[in-house]
Amino acid sequence: DTGVSQDPRHKITKRGQNVTFRCDPISEHNRLYWYRQTLGQGPEFLTYFQNEAQLEKSRLLSDRFSAERPKGSFSTLEIQRTEQGDSAMYLCASSGEGQGRTEAFFGQGTRLTVV
Amino acid sequence: AQSVTQPDIHITVSEGASLELRCNYSYGATPYLFWYVQSPGQGLQLLLKYFSGDTLVQGIKGFEAEFKRSQSSFNLRKPSVHWSDAAEYFCAVGSYSSASKIIFGSGTRLSIRP
């Protein structure tokens, strides 16, 4: 399977715990995005990598959130001291660069429930 | 600032009827435009995209969209909907720039009346 894969698909955690999600992009894609989607809303941009460089972070990404993409391959998104408001679907996407290759391909998402 | 507006939150059409979902964007540079579909509990699937050239683009599942620069619109159309088209539809905008991100509208939920 050469699509974007995310792990885990579902995560239930207690408030205050830390969680980490993983995203494996399509192998030849150099761009990687993290989005958050709450019920009834479109995906909200969180952060974006070009290779291993984190080029942009949304103001939605508080200090409790950190994302990494070591070696420009897979990426992790960590949420520290989770809050109930963090409950959402976290979507990862990847894309190439250049005309004809900039559409984002999405993974199935990680659904986080904070109880 | 970049933005995408989908003015219709929820649309219901009869099976076999035609469909048009509206999308307006605000973008400083030449936009790349996309329509994605999301079924419940699933990720997003690309329906079609516009980069340049012919302003009427064809996508999968019989969908098409027309880019109208003067109206900053990229409306999605289908001549005859099927019950399986019931889903959430998202319009999105990006650009060629390496420093760009793709941003999404809030979506339109499509219901199909039997």
Side-chain angles (χ1 to χ4, degrees), chain B residues 41-54:
Chain B
Q42 300 298 309
L44 287 90
Q45 181 184 23
L46 181 70
L47 283 176
L48 48 78
K49 61 193 179 191
Y50 171 79
F51 290 149
S52 65
D54 193 347

Side-chain angles (χ1 to χ4, degrees), chain B residues 19-21 35 47-48 63-65 74-77 89:
Chain B
L19 170 71
E20 182 169 28
L21 302 183
W35 275 98
L47 283 176
L48 48 78
F63 286 92
E64 66 178 27
F74 189 58
N75 294 349
L76 181 72
R77 300 193 295 249
Y89 291 81

